[in-house]
Amino acid sequence: MIRLFVGIPLPPSLQQRLVSFAAGIPNAHWTPAENLHLTLRFVGEVDEAVANSIHDALAELQAPAFTMTVAGCGTFEGGRRAITLWLGVEREPALLRLRDKVESALVRIGLPPEGRRFQPHITLARLKDPPLPKLQSFIAGHNLFRESVPVASFVLFSSHLGRGEPIYTAEAEYPLG
Ligand code: 2AM
């Protein structure tokens, strides 16, 4: 079995810039630079045959290259006070269309539809019981961050969960036209 997700990697320069934000909130578990990415579609554990069909379906997908804008900062509340701290990604039409095409391609080959609404974001940290003033000041300090990057491909990642950080590996990369 292999744990997969479809995403857009960030250029190393932007990863380095974002990882430099990782300060000011006690007990935060910050995403390491190399793991900072945008998830288009989480897949989960699948066997090799399904992984191969996912790859074939994604390889056939056609969509234009576009510019992705990272902007804004916020949180998702999780179960019992776990909080995801993120930077937003603007909901531009080309990104949403790419996401819809990925979703349709995966449903067409028999995967269950994604239940959740697509909320494009880059997870900066997972927080447990963060002191609210520190969290609010982090968000206020980063909410005006805005940076646009060209997106010329998307990637099928595997995710290996172990004791430490998950290890994301680009299994295949699909160019955008
Ligand atoms: P997150 O950063 O917002 O948690 C790899 O796990 C990627 O898939 C992460 O970016 C994660 O998003 C995303 N993802 C979406 N749904 C998931 C799920 N049910 N379990 C784990 N990761 C999920």
Side-chain angles (χ1 to χ4, degrees):
M1 298 289 276
I2 182 165
R3 183 180 171 90
L4 296 175
F5 67 95
V6 183
I8 296 177
L10 303 185
S13 56
L14 182 57
Q15 288 178 324
Q16 289 308 325
R17 178 103 189 269
L18 301 190
V19 89
S20 75
F21 297 170
I25 306 179
N27 301 323
H29 184 86
W30 298 97
T31 307
E34 67 276 14
N35 280 2
L36 289 164
H37 67 279
L38 168 70
T39 298
L40 286 173
R41 169 56 142 99
F42 182 71
V43 174
E45 302 268 345
V46 294
D47 67 26
E48 202 180 317
V50 174
N52 286 334
S53 339
I54 291 172
H55 169 59
D56 292 345
L58 295 178
E60 277 180 20
L61 191 156
Q62 300 215 345
F66 61 98
T67 298
M68 172 170 98
T69 301
V70 180
C73 183
T75 57
F76 296 141
E77 309 288 317
R80 295 204 30 110
R81 282 180 276 155
I83 290 179
T84 298
L85 174 67
W86 46 257
L87 288 179
V89 174
E90 288 187 350
R91 302 178 64 82
E92 45 210 299
L95 169 65
L96 300 182
R97 275 199 295 272
L98 173 61
R99 199 270 168 190
D100 287 348
K101 284 183 178 184
V102 168
E103 175 67 14
S104 315
L106 299 189
V107 169
R108 218 175 297 127
I109 60 164
L111 295 192
E114 167 76 72
R116 298 192 292 190
R117 178 171 181 264
F118 180 49
Q119 293 183 283
H121 67 278
I122 295 161
T123 296
L124 283 182
R126 310 236 181 246
L127 313 174
K128 247 191 189 170
D129 290 331
L132 268 190
K134 299 266 187 207
L135 179 57
Q136 283 161 351
S137 117
F138 184 95
I139 292 173
H142 295 88
N143 208 21
L144 293 179
F145 177 81
R146 188 183 172 87
E147 178 107 358
S148 295
V149 289
V151 178
S153 63
F154 66 101
V155 166
L156 179 61
F157 286 101
S158 62
S159 163
H160 294 273
L161 305 179
R163 283 177 168 216
E165 297 298 334
I167 296 171
Y168 300 148
T169 306
E171 299 291 339
E173 183 168 4
Y174 311 96
L176 296 168

